[in-house]
């Protein structure tokens, strides 16, 4: 015989379902940033080790220096996006948001507006730098002549991924859920 007691927390309004779906979509971007950051970490490690070996046997390895720099730039910006997705960035609002509990939604929204505004300016500026480098065909000075726009593309891509992570957290909270990104890492 079915229970007549209401199931608390199992009813989902259409608005909450839409917010949860949108949060999941933006959360995917945050997880992807983490996967790419991990892959770039492996590339950076291999490149540094290769540079050390080549230097030890007196083979020109100036190209590994640029690869290291490019990988480090990408790692910094995708890593920042993933850190934002995991909720591990330290902000002034974190302690207040946790202290005030559910009544802190206004603080969360204000924090989001400030961070999103910063990221909007950052993305625009990064895109301008990337576009300028692309148009002027900037290259590194080593033998490989890496296109500099590859490194500068990390700015708008990382900024967009970080903004997606912030949107994920906001939509999850507005939908009444704890962001999946706030779960402990495996």
């Amino acid at each position: 015989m079915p229970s007549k007691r209401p199931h608390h927390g199992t009813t989902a309004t259409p608005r909450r379902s839409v917010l949860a779906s949108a949060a999941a979509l933006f959360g995917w971007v945050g997880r992807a940033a983490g996967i790419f950051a991990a892959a770039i970490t492996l590339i950076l490690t291999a490149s540094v080790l290769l540079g050390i070996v080549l230097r030890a046997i007196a083979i020109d390895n100036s190209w590994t220096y640029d690869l290291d720099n490019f990988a480090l730039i990408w790692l910094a910006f995708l890593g920042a996006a993933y850190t934002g997705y995991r909720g591990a960035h330290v902000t002034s609002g974190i302690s207040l948001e946790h202290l005030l509990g559910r009544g802190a939604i206004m603080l969360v929204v204000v924090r989001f507006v400030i961070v999103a505004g910063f990221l909007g300016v950052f993305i625009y500026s990064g895109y301008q730098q990337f576009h300028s480098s692309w148009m002027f065909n900037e290259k590194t000075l080593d033998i490989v002549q890496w296109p500099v726009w590859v490194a500068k593309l990390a700015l708008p891509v990382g900024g967009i991924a970080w903004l997606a992570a912030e949107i994920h957290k906001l939509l999850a909270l507005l939908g009444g859920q704890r962001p999946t990104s706030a779960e402990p890492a495996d």
Side-chain angles (χ1 to χ4, degrees):
M1 174 179 221
S3 170
K4 296 195 181 213
R5 289 187 298 170
H7 297 290
H8 296 289
T10 60
T11 58
T13 64
R15 181 185 132 241
R16 286 190 178 208
S17 295
V18 169
L19 289 173
S21 297
L25 176 66
F26 283 103
W28 177 85
V29 175
R31 286 188 301 279
I35 291 167
F36 281 116
I40 292 169
T41 301
L42 295 174
I43 291 169
L44 179 60
T45 302
S47 176
V48 168
L49 290 174
L50 179 62
I52 291 168
V53 169
L54 291 176
R55 197 171 315 124
I57 58 177
I59 294 177
D60 179 29
N61 69 330
S62 60
W63 62 272
T64 61
Y65 177 76
D66 286 329
L67 179 60
D68 297 346
N69 283 333
F70 282 31
L72 189 59
I73 290 166
W74 274 94
L75 179 61
F77 290 104
L78 289 178
Y82 184 66
T83 304
Y85 167 74
R86 298 296 303 169
H89 280 291
V90 176
T91 65
S92 59
I94 285 178
S95 59
L96 291 175
E97 291 166 10
H98 290 286
L99 266 175
L100 299 175
R102 296 199 56 83
I105 195 70
M106 189 61 172
L107 248 159
V108 170
V109 171
V110 168
R111 180 191 158 293
F112 172 79
V113 168
I114 292 169
V115 170
F118 162 76
L119 289 173
V121 171
F122 181 81
I123 291 165
Y124 177 77
S125 174
Y127 174 78
Q128 292 298 322
Q129 290 182 38
F130 154 74
H131 187 259
S132 173
S133 180
W134 174 279
M135 295 305 292
F136 289 109
N137 199 24
E138 283 183 282
K139 302 218 184 276
T140 60
L141 298 177
D142 63 1
I143 195 164
V144 178
Q145 294 189 350
W146 301 89
V148 174
W149 64 263
V150 171
K152 291 186 177 184
L153 182 61
L155 281 69
V157 170
I160 289 168
W162 187 353
L163 182 58
E166 294 297 326
I167 292 170
H168 159 74
K169 290 189 301 190
L170 180 67
L171 291 176
L173 288 171
L174 292 176
Q177 297 178 334
R178 184 175 179 204
T180 56
S181 58
E183 298 298 323
D186 294 343

